[in-house]
Amino acid sequence: MLRTSFDMEVPFYDVDAYRIVWHGNYPKYFEVARCQLLEAIGYPYEKMEQSGYFFPVIDLHTRYVKPIVFKQKIQVSAMLRDWENKLVIDYVIIDLDTGQRLTKGRTQQVAVLMPDNITQFQSPPELIQHIEAALRNTTEQG
Amino acid sequence: MLRTSFDMEVPFYDVDAYRIVWHGNYPKYFEVARCQLLEAIGYPYEKMEQSGYFFPVIDLHTRYVKPIVFKQKIQVSAMLRDWENKLVIDYVIIDLDTGQRLTKGRTQQVAVLMPDNITQFQSPPELIQHIEAALRNTTEQG
Amino acid sequence: MLRTSFDMEVPFYDVDAYRIVWHGNYPKYFEVARCQLLEAIGYPYEKMEQSGYFFPVIDLHTRYVKPIVFKQKIQVSAMLRDWENKLVIDYVIIDLDTGQRLTKGRTQQVAVLMPDNITQFQSPPELIQHIEAALRNTTEQG
Amino acid sequence: MLRTSFDMEVPFYDVDAYRIVWHGNYPKYFEVARCQLLEAIGYPYEKMEQSGYFFPVIDLHTRYVKPIVFKQKIQVSAMLRDWENKLVIDYVIIDLDTGQRLTKGRTQQVAVLMPDNITQFQSPPELIQHIEAALRNTTEQG
């Protein structure tokens, strides 16, 4: 499975009046993880554009298991789940010290062909080729 | 059913490099609608606190049906779905001119008793009383 | 003088752990006021683009006189100060109930000619013509 | 002089419709740098609170010298300028590859004594002692 992770410390500006990360700030964490995963696959946003597509998020689900606080050290991971018709990525946030799972998430993205913004019901070959190559590399290295 | 709505025009700062509202900005729209719904029920965040609770969002699901662009005039509605164990609110965003549905969402919130942050598996009586009174008012007025 | 204002109630998501509007959220309030002022002048962002320019903010100064809290009702005003070489706009935020001045701000913007992004050291004639026409209208109506 | 720096890559969500970092996102970068500087001084936000104070930003000035784009690698630095009556911190953002200066900023903060929120016209001794100790350490190490 293709997976990337990064560590971060929660900044002051992400915390709300109850001194926990405001629930609407989690899409930022997921997006950084997603961009790193797409980078690892070799098909980041700028290459998507070069091949004529952008991939808007059409569905986002987040499960807030435990609150996260100012300065908490967390690890955010993105895992590729599906890519044939839609690009489906799962996310998990854990506490770096305890390993406890704090948050789960999932995004669905669909390819849209520019400039006429035509939604694609199958993923473009560029995405599939990059993912298959990345999977082969992972298997060989494993 | 308890329901509130507000109209807004999309500000420049909510739009991303693809010139559509960045998906992570929708929780703000839902929150404004939710706060207005709780106000209509007579149990907004500050009254929750006075009765000893806060209600963190524990689950958020958003379905992005159509993109929304800079200056688009939209209507955001919040509808109360469930309140016995969790406070479940549905959201819908429509285009003000065409009435076309652009976005659907749902949040789940759970009562947490302060200051020891004890999650409640049943909604506190204050919430239920306010909702039942609001429902009676709505029925009588209807 | 050209001036526009709008009223708003502070949303929950703009407030920080100290329960006051986080200082980094004020550029949003100023931007809404600025966009309304440019609309009143008849030269909003999309017309700027049609005439070949965009106007990035090159300088922002904010003086936070009094803190602003969740649900506070405020009025945000934008006032045109200068436009010959740079577009200079002043802002003031007051409490709607007391009229007390809470915040002062100033932005400076400069015209950049697209697509080669060439900074203009004089404002483009389109901006000046729109402002002069708006000033004539204001004087005549006054 | 007390100074700290961190490196970052610009995330997608910080970029606006003109594909440059939206001017209102820079306070976030400055705040991360400021929190690291206060950490280095040994007097971060949570210690401020323990000693009875919080330090709201009362003035922010930003000069946007060059635009910053998606994925650009930048270095953000905070430098302590003054602390006797107000805590004054300067910021500079440079491009990591070229060293070119992209942004300059300055914040002013003032101590407010909790819980009655009484603005202090001199910095509290806790702040001054921590800064003087940090300056001695820097001098000795230098």
Side-chain angles (χ1 to χ4, degrees), chain A residues 116-133:
Chain A
D116 293 326
N117 293 343
I118 300 165
T119 301
Q120 307 295 298
F121 295 99
Q122 285 197 313
S123 290
E126 290 86 344
L127 174 65
I128 292 172
Q129 288 157 13
H130 275 99
I131 289 174
E132 288 177 351

Side-chain angles (χ1 to χ4, degrees), chain A residues 9 11-14 19 27-29 31-32 35 39 44-46 49 70-71, chain D residues 9 11-14 19 27-29 31-32 35 39 44-46 49 70-71:
Chain A
E9 186 180 310
F12 178 78
Y13 55 76
D14 276 351
R19 303 201 152 202
K28 298 191 296 182
Y29 305 165
E31 187 170 270
V32 172
C35 284
E39 195 80 46
Y45 284 11
E46 58 273 26
E49 275 192 46
F70 176 39
K71 284 196 165 180
Chain D
E9 188 180 309
F12 178 78
Y13 55 76
D14 276 351
R19 302 201 153 203
K28 298 192 295 182
Y29 305 165
E31 188 169 89
V32 172
C35 285
E39 195 80 48
Y45 284 11
E46 59 273 26
E49 275 192 47
F70 177 40
K71 284 197 167 182

Side-chain angles (χ1 to χ4, degrees), chain B residues 4 14 21 25 32-36 47 51 64 81 85-87 89 103 105 109 111 114 122-124 126 129 141:
Chain B
T4 56
D14 276 351
V21 174
N25 282 323
V32 172
R34 178 169 64 251
C35 285
Q36 289 187 351
K47 283 213 179 167
S51 58
Y64 306 86
R81 278 291 164 214
N85 302 311
K86 287 182 290 188
L87 180 60
I89 298 174
T103 323
Q109 292 169 272
M114 302 184 288
Q122 286 197 312
S123 290
E126 289 87 343
Q129 287 158 12
Q141 287 167 11

Side-chain angles (χ1 to χ4, degrees), chain B residues 65-114:
Chain B
V65 181
K66 293 266 175 192
I68 303 179
V69 299
F70 177 39
K71 284 196 165 180
Q72 190 167 349
K73 290 180 178 59
I74 58 176
Q75 183 175 76
V76 186
S77 301
M79 293 144 287
L80 186 67
R81 278 291 164 214
D82 202 358
W83 57 88
E84 283 186 29
N85 302 311
K86 287 182 290 188
L87 180 60
V88 181
I89 298 174
D90 279 351
Y91 309 89
V92 65
I93 303 179
I94 62 165
D95 181 87
L96 255 185
D97 292 330
T98 66
Q100 190 177 33
R101 194 168 59 180
L102 307 171
T103 323
K104 293 191 299 177
R106 170 171 291 186
T107 54
Q108 299 181 36
Q109 292 169 272
V110 73
V112 171
L113 185 63
M114 302 184 288

Side-chain angles (χ1 to χ4, degrees), chain C residues 18-33:
Chain C
Y18 294 105
R19 303 201 152 201
I20 58 175
V21 174
W22 181 63
H23 72 281
N25 282 323
Y26 289 70
K28 298 192 295 183
Y29 305 165
F30 293 166
E31 187 169 271
V32 172

Side-chain angles (χ1 to χ4, degrees), chain B residues 11-13 19 28 31-32 39 44-46 49 70-71, chain C residues 11-13 19 28 31-32 39 44-46 49 70-71:
Chain B
F12 178 79
Y13 55 75
R19 303 201 152 202
K28 297 191 298 182
E31 187 169 89
V32 172
E39 196 79 47
Y45 284 11
E46 58 273 26
E49 274 192 47
F70 177 39
K71 284 196 165 180
Chain C
F12 178 78
Y13 55 75
R19 303 201 152 201
K28 298 192 295 183
E31 187 169 271
V32 172
E39 196 80 47
Y45 284 11
E46 58 274 27
E49 274 192 47
F70 177 40
K71 283 196 167 182

